Amino acid sequence: MTLLRFDDWTSPVPPVEREVLSRLVEGEDLQPPLLFVPGPGMGAWVFAEHWLTHAAGRGFPAYALTPRENGDLRAHVHDVVQVAAALPRQAVLIGHGTGALVVSRALGRYPARAAVLAAPVLAASVTDRWATLGAAVKANPLGTLRRRPRLNHKQLFSAGTDADAYLSRMTFPRRLAARGPVPRPVASPPVLVVGSPDDRVVPRKSLDRVATHYAGAPLLFPGMAHALMLDTGWAEPIDAVLDWLTKQLSAVG
Amino acid sequence: MQDTPDIADRRDAVCVIGAGASGLTTVKNLREHGFAVDCYERETSVGGAWNWRHDRSPVYANTHLISSRPLTEFPDFPMPDSWPDFPHHSQVLSYLERYAKHFGLGEHIWFGTEVVSAEPVGDGRWDVTTRSTGGGSSRVQRYAAVVVANGHNWAPAKPEIDGAEDFRGQVIHSAQYKDPAQLRNRKVLVIGAGNTGCDIAVEAAQQATTVWHSTRRGYWYAPKYVLGRPADQVNDRLLKWRLPLRLRQWLYRRTLALTTGDLTRYGLPAPDHRPYESHPIVNSQLAYYLGHGRIKPVPDVTRFVGGQVELADGRRVDADLVITATGYTPRFDFLAPELIDAGDDGRPDLHLHAFARKHPTLAVVGLLQPDSGVLPLAHWQAVAVARWLRLRRQDPARAAAVQQKESARPLQSWSRRQVVPSRRHWFEVDHIAYLKAVEELLHEMEPRA
């Protein structure tokens, strides 16, 4: 918990136009809004493809944010908190990949209703960083060792997905530098970690470590690749996430 | 203690008084810490002082923030970054309304209901008497704690000036000043060197035929912008670099010399204290209008005589509208003064300006005059109050230890030394020193992993 926020007070993050896509629910909102956050390089479109519509269909107003270009971690966190605070009600933050890193930091700033870290690239510890790098080198040696590491279709998708069309819409910016420990979430929201044991970007052990940090166990979807929201079996993880959310929200009353 | 049948026992619920900015953040943070909350608001909507529809709101048409946006917003609910550096009061109100809606606070607020009294009943519990604003039957409910967030800018402090009955013009308090049209083509005397007094003097300079500005002592008049940035952001950079006070004072004098310049040249008294010993007046336009002769600085007012206003130097001015921008008095009519250790002058003595010293389940939120916005400080006060009440309930032994430790906290570590012993400076705090003290308290009460 940081009370003295000199960075915010003396050099506020410059504002930008933000792209937010949404699929809303007709009538009264009974469920809290969901805010999906992809990693930089992927846009809000990756969630608009399947997950937003699916979530709205189950009664959750769903929003997705396109990360700003050339932003550092602080700017991305700023954008997530800005968009969350602009939603009509307390939001559920759902980050994927590096977007989960952004969400884990935003949770220290904004009292989310709940949070989901999907295939999180948190790189919170040195061990984690090496493990992630190791997995990536194994799956994609040429792409990983570039200054701007690339992911290939084998890492992102399992067989049978229209990978080329998706890949052509992605860009691969530089890695986000993350300093300091993962903050304790304000207002202690429930946090769920989801991933796949067959993800070639996030090693299984990494998923366990992130889940342990939030005092839980990861929810696993074997056979799926890193891009859970675009992969052939996209319906399964989002349904599990929404089931978990429904249970958490009713538990509080 | 025997329960009387007509007292509704709300058990572990906490009573919050007021749904302005401080009350809203108190309700939100108490809810987040698991408390049931009943918040009472005498008006029919949220926003308190920032809601211009409220009778007691001090805002006028052109009120803007004097601290910049990043130093004014709630730390966990930022204002839109597309807003200006110094938002208008109507934006602040819409911000508070969105805050209330976002966190679903409305269902915990009883509007149009005022608190008549709050009395301790032993064992830390409170009997709170409420009734509909403007009358009706009253109701008593029993709460585990009371958090007061009734604001301190609504009860005008009006100066006694002799001979007012002979004065032919109009005398109003700044609380009654709402619109520049009130000043148009009049001869206006503004009394008071505070931020409001200076703001109104500047508006009068744009509207009235003649403007006198009466100030008793000299202050530091800081511009809103320095080096192209909001001045408070530049100042915090010096604090971030931990420059020593003497060096900051020197820099401050240099900066003012290069921007506002020497105001004694226009006849204003020189400051009688060093920079940073009281909060500066934040106004970029006052010096401009002094330099254009549109505002004539005059000394203290002694009395009204022969239809005119007599000044301390014996001069008389022929004003037809006198605006006393002489501030507000904190009022806690529903509390016996000894509960908040209030002296004869009405000044409460509270730990961190928040915790009642003899009543661990009584706290006040927002009773601060920081050199930043009050909202972020009120938020952290509310978090501290919520944590304190939770710790007291869950771990009384540890709570007692925290209380013991807090009672040894030196006053000067969080409270500004008094250089100017007037009501205006009662609750002045330096936001950095104050937040450091609250941060330490929060760490002491951190839940054990």
Side-chain angles (χ1 to χ4, degrees), chain A residues 58 60 236-248:
Chain A
R58 287 191 52 179
F60 290 86
E236 214 185 321
I238 187 65
D239 269 327
V241 162
L242 297 176
D243 289 343
W244 173 82
L245 259 181
T246 310
K247 202 172 144 201
Q248 291 297 327

Side-chain angles (χ1 to χ4, degrees), chain B residues 40-45 109-114 131-135:
Chain B
Y40 297 105
E41 168 56 52
R42 65 184 301 283
E43 298 282 351
T44 52
S45 47
I109 305 172
W110 299 82
F111 290 106
T113 309
E114 60 189 355
R131 68 158 177 243
S132 294
T133 308

Side-chain angles (χ1 to χ4, degrees), chain B residues 209-358:
Chain B
T209 50
T210 314
V211 186
W212 298 277
H213 188 200
S214 162
T215 57
R216 189 174 293 174
R217 63 165 59 87
Y219 282 102
W220 296 93
Y221 294 87
K224 273 188 143 168
Y225 283 90
V226 177
L227 308 169
R229 301 286 313 162
D232 53 1
Q233 298 181 12
V234 175
N235 184 52
D236 269 21
R237 186 160 294 212
L238 305 181
L239 294 164
K240 179 187 178 183
W241 294 335
R242 293 168 186 257
L243 297 192
L245 179 64
R246 284 302 164 102
L247 182 56
R248 280 190 291 128
Q249 285 175 331
W250 180 83
L251 273 171
Y252 194 97
R253 287 174 197 268
R254 290 307 304 156
T255 310
L256 283 205
L258 289 169
T259 51
T260 314
D262 176 16
L263 294 180
T264 60
R265 189 159 86 79
Y266 307 117
L268 278 186
D272 55 1
H273 53 279
R274 282 193 284 264
Y276 295 112
E277 287 185 345
S278 85
H279 296 333
I281 310 304
V282 183
N283 194 307
S284 295
Q285 291 170 285
L286 189 77
Y288 177 90
Y289 286 109
L290 285 167
H292 287 64
R294 290 291 296 135
I295 297 175
K296 299 179 188 18
V298 293
D300 209 9
V301 168
T302 46
R303 59 178 176 148
F304 293 110
V305 60
Q308 292 182 313
V309 187
E310 190 178 273
L311 307 168
D313 60 3
R315 267 189 296 162
R316 291 182 183 183
V317 296
D318 197 17
D320 55 21
L321 172 63
V322 175
I323 302 179
T324 58
T326 41
Y328 298 83
T329 321
R331 278 178 61 176
F332 306 95
D333 298 348
F334 45 83
L335 287 177
E338 62 270 18
L339 296 174
I340 46 173
D341 293 296
D344 293 336
D345 54 3
R347 176 186 187 165
D349 175 30
L350 303 160
H351 180 59
L352 296 174
H353 289 314
F355 295 92
R357 295 188 185 277
K358 299 187 199 89

Side-chain angles (χ1 to χ4, degrees), chain A:
Chain A
M1 185 172 299
T2 317
L3 274 65
L4 301 182
R5 299 181 177 179
F6 285 113
D7 284 355
D8 294 355
W9 296 339
T10 62
S11 48
V13 173
V16 292
E17 287 278 329
R18 286 177 286 260
E19 183 193 43
V20 178
L21 301 181
S22 60
R23 298 286 182 275
L24 303 183
V25 176
E26 297 264 330
E28 203 188 344
D29 292 351
L30 297 172
Q31 302 288 7
L34 313 181
L35 175 57
F36 291 92
V37 181
M42 298 196 189
W45 66 268
V46 296
F47 294 109
E49 199 71 8
H50 307 294
W51 279 15
L52 292 191
T53 319
H54 193 77
R58 287 191 52 179
F60 290 86
Y63 301 79
L65 165 68
T66 298
R68 69 167 75 191
E69 281 175 39
N70 306 316
D72 58 6
L73 182 56
R74 180 173 167 240
H76 290 305
V77 171
H78 167 88
D79 288 340
V80 170
V81 176
Q82 278 283 323
V83 173
L87 296 177
R89 289 172 58 199
Q90 214 172 348
V92 177
L93 302 183
I94 303 176
H96 174 266
T98 316
L101 166 66
V102 176
V103 164
S104 74
R105 303 285 163 141
L107 289 177
R109 290 304 182 93
Y110 168 79
R113 191 75 177 74
V116 179
L117 306 177
V121 182
L122 242 48
S125 66
V126 180
T127 338
D128 246 8
R129 255 169 256 168
W130 283 109
T132 312
L133 186 67
V137 168
K138 220 163 98 188
N140 183 9
L142 288 176
T144 307
L145 298 174
R146 295 159 65 111
R147 206 164 81 94
R148 291 161 182 268
R150 300 184 68 90
L151 297 178
N152 63 21
H153 61 91
K154 231 169 53 187
Q155 289 169 296
L156 287 167
F157 307 104
S158 52
T161 317
D162 186 11
D164 289 344
Y166 289 146
L167 263 173
S168 67
R169 294 178 74 179
M170 294 178 187
T171 59
F172 295 94
R174 297 182 66 171
R175 279 193 191 91
L176 284 183
R179 268 167 297 173
V182 180
R184 186 196 285 245
V186 290
S188 325
V191 179
L192 175 71
V193 174
V194 300
S196 162
D198 304 309
D199 186 335
R200 300 192 197 194
V201 177
V202 183
R204 170 68 209 272
K205 283 207 169 122
S206 243
L207 285 178
D208 288 337
R209 269 193 292 272
V210 174
T212 309
H213 177 84
Y214 292 100
L219 206 54
L220 296 174
F221 300 90
M224 293 193 75
H226 184 65
L228 297 169
M229 68 298 237
L230 294 172
D231 210 5
T232 326
W234 61 264
E236 214 185 321
I238 187 65
D239 269 327
V241 162
L242 297 176
D243 289 343
W244 173 82
L245 259 181
T246 310
K247 202 172 144 201
Q248 291 297 327
L249 297 171
S250 64
V252 183

